């Protein structure tokens, strides 16, 4: 088991309250320069494996605007928003000035070169797991931060105590599941185009084994995650080889571990992480070429007060479905998109 050393989970105060930042990982996969860069580094067949480098993993249909707007609308306690990207800029200034004329949460664009300083040999990277292993290295990032993927947004007001306890320990929205069943499912997977697919559960399983677990793990879902920068700093200072193991892959690899799962399990075992169920708090909208009834999902969303919403692979949605999704987001967030 990898041991925790000197992890204090500092409680940084801001005017008497805990200082909490938000981090969003984002990429515009339709940027010709980004696509050309990917083509230079991608091995044959990798772009045919959806879970590794399929186009949906990188396409952006405006979700970054929804995510940032939702934080401003429903989480005004956030101190600063950091958007981590590879030489790109979503162009948020005009959007925020138009929709939040009385002021908005300060935001900053952070380049991959900044968080990979000292590890530039692993750039460029097109790997969300590698990037999430390094977000804690953002200069000035508060110890307590909430990490979002750009396809996540808040759907209702949230408070600090939805993510962190007063003593600074974190709250993980997840459920305990049987680790051996996940391992068995992984063993039954077959290679596609000569490459082993990567699954969300598989990377969590790898993290569980790394944390010394044998029987159970925490099953996360596509929701914002409360994290401690101090944990990562201390952990990777003591286990630098574990960090490099994760960031050396330019594309997602089945050997990688989910860094958030590693943190949650390590802190849970140390009594510094509280696990809460996500049921009723997360609403996911998927579009897989017509396999999902978008209208039915949106009807349910209008009746839902779930604080966490994830729009996954909606680049597959039809033009009319996309219009309905944008209409919902605009109404829920009271913004002009």
């Amino acid at each position: 088991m990898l041991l925790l050393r000197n992890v204090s989970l500092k409680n940084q105060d801001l005017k008497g309250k805990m200082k909490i930042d938000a981090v969003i990982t984002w990429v515009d996969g339709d940027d010709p320069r980004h696509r050309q860069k990917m083509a230079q580094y991608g091995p044959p067949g990798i772009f045919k494996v959806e879970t590794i480098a399929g186009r949906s993993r990188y396409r952006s249909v405006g979700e970054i605007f929804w995510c940032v707007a939702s934080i401003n609308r429903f989480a005004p306690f956030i101190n600063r928003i950091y958007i981590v990207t590879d030489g790109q800029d979503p162009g948020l200034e005009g959007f925020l000035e138009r929709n939040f004329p009385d002021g908005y949460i300060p935001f900053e664009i952070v380049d991959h070169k900044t968080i990979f300083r000292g590890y530039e040999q692993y750039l460029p990277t097109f790997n969300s797991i590698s990037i999430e292993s390094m977000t804690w290295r953002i200069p000035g990032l508060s110890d307590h931060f909430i990490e979002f993927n750009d396809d996540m947004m808040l759907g209702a007001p949230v408070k600090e105590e939805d993510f962190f306890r007063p003593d600074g320990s974190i709250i993980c929205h997840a459920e305990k599941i049987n680790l051996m069943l996940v391992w068995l499912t992984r063993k039954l997977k077959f290679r596609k185009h000569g490459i082993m697919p990567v699954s969300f559960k598989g990377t969590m399983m790898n993290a569980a084994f790394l944390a010394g677990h044998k029987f159970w793990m925490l099953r996360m879902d596509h929701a914002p995650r409360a994290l401690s920068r101090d944990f990562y700093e201390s952990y990777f200072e003591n286990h630098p080889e574990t960090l490099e193991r994760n960031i050396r892959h330019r594309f997602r690899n089945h050997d990688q571990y989910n860094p958030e799962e590693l943190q949650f399990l390590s802190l849970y075992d140390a009594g510094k992480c509280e696990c809460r169920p996500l049921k009723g708090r997360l609403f996911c909208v998927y579009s897989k070429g017509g396999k999902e009834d978008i209208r039915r999902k949106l009807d349910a969303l209008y009746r839902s007060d779930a604080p966490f919403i994830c729009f996954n692979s909606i680049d597959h949605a039809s033009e009319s479905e996309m219009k309905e999704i944008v209409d919902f987001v605009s109404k829920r967030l009271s913004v002009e998109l």
Side-chain angles (χ1 to χ4, degrees):
M1 177 182 290
L2 296 177
L3 301 177
L4 289 173
R5 299 191 181 95
N6 303 319
V7 178
S8 61
L9 293 184
K10 301 189 206 76
N11 191 346
Q12 300 179 15
D13 289 334
L14 182 66
K15 296 180 180 179
K17 291 188 176 182
M18 188 181 299
K19 182 180 176 183
I20 303 172
D21 289 333
V23 174
I24 308 170
T25 53
W26 173 76
V27 63
D28 178 6
D30 288 329
D31 180 349
R33 293 172 300 175
H34 186 266
R35 293 176 65 181
Q36 183 179 21
K37 190 188 298 186
M38 285 183 65
Q40 293 175 354
Y41 289 93
I46 199 168
F47 300 108
K48 297 180 181 179
V49 184
E50 184 63 36
T51 60
I52 297 180
R55 194 171 179 187
S56 280
R57 296 206 60 80
Y58 304 98
R59 293 197 69 185
S60 174
V61 293
E63 302 100 321
I64 183 65
F65 292 87
W66 312 350
C67 184
V68 172
S70 75
I71 295 171
N72 275 274
R73 185 67 69 203
F74 295 134
F77 60 85
I78 291 295
N79 171 65
R80 181 176 290 269
I81 300 171
Y82 294 95
I83 300 169
V84 179
T85 186
D86 181 14
Q88 298 177 321
D89 188 336
L92 287 162
E93 290 90 346
F95 169 78
L96 289 171
E97 289 172 0
R98 185 172 67 252
N99 285 289
F100 298 92
D102 295 330
Y104 50 84
I105 299 170
F107 73 92
E108 184 177 330
I109 306 297
V110 182
D111 194 80
H112 289 177
K113 293 177 182 177
T114 299
I115 60 175
F116 277 80
R117 62 193 182 279
Y119 298 91
E120 290 86 354
Q121 66 270 32
Y122 301 120
L123 292 178
T125 184
F126 314 97
N127 187 333
S128 59
I129 303 172
S130 300
I131 296 164
E132 289 170 1
S133 299
M134 301 293 269
T135 53
W136 61 276
R137 304 181 85 235
I138 295 172
L141 180 69
S142 64
D143 181 51
H144 300 90
F145 67 101
I146 304 170
E147 194 160 81
F148 295 75
N149 297 131
D150 61 358
D151 61 359
M152 300 173 184
M153 62 171 267
L154 299 174
V158 293
K159 297 179 289 187
E160 297 97 321
E161 49 264 39
D162 290 317
F163 301 95
F164 298 96
R165 297 197 311 195
D167 65 357
S169 56
I170 65 177
I171 294 170
C172 167
H173 295 92
E175 62 176 341
K176 289 184 179 181
I177 63 171
N178 188 299
L179 185 54
M180 289 301 101
L181 288 179
V182 179
W183 176 84
L184 180 60
T185 302
R186 170 77 167 274
K187 284 293 183 181
L188 297 176
K189 286 187 176 295
F190 296 99
R191 291 179 176 269
K192 295 182 179 179
H193 306 285
I195 300 170
M196 182 66 73
V198 178
S199 72
F200 190 33
K201 278 187 180 179
T203 61
M204 288 187 284
M205 176 194 72
N206 292 340
F209 287 143
L210 188 58
H213 279 232
K214 297 180 180 179
F215 304 107
W216 62 271
M217 69 180 206
L218 293 172
R219 170 65 165 88
M220 295 184 289
D221 212 321
H222 298 288
R225 296 171 291 275
L227 297 167
S228 166
R229 183 200 57 79
D230 187 50
F231 168 83
Y232 281 141
E233 181 178 51
S234 176
Y235 190 94
F236 289 131
E237 179 182 341
N238 289 295
H239 308 288
E241 72 290 344
T242 306
L243 179 62
E244 291 208 53
R245 163 188 165 181
N246 232 28
I247 65 175
R248 67 174 184 252
H249 303 283
R250 296 190 193 277
F251 294 87
R252 284 159 55 100
N253 187 282
H254 71 281
D255 284 333
Q256 288 184 290
Y257 60 88
N258 184 294
E260 296 93 347
E261 176 79 4
L262 177 63
Q263 174 165 162
F264 291 149
L265 287 175
S266 300
L267 292 179
Y268 185 92
D269 293 341
K272 297 178 180 179
C273 173
E274 176 186 339
C275 183
R276 293 182 184 175
L278 258 177
K279 186 176 181 180
R281 296 182 60 80
L282 171 66
F283 205 111
C284 291
V285 178
Y286 297 92
S287 177
K288 298 290 186 181
K291 294 180 181 178
E292 188 70 31
D293 184 350
I294 293 292
R295 185 169 290 104
R296 177 176 56 82
K297 282 281 190 179
L298 289 176
D299 287 343
L301 254 181
Y302 274 112
R303 300 190 300 270
S304 169
D305 60 354
F308 308 135
I309 300 175
C310 177
F311 290 97
N312 192 271
S313 299
I314 57 171
D315 57 295
H316 292 293
S318 67
E319 185 176 343
S320 61
E321 289 173 334
M322 195 64 211
K323 182 181 183 305
E324 291 189 49
I325 292 172
V326 172
D327 285 346
F328 164 80
V329 174
S330 179
K331 291 175 182 177
R332 178 57 60 96
L333 301 181
S334 300
V335 296
E336 178 186 343
L337 297 172

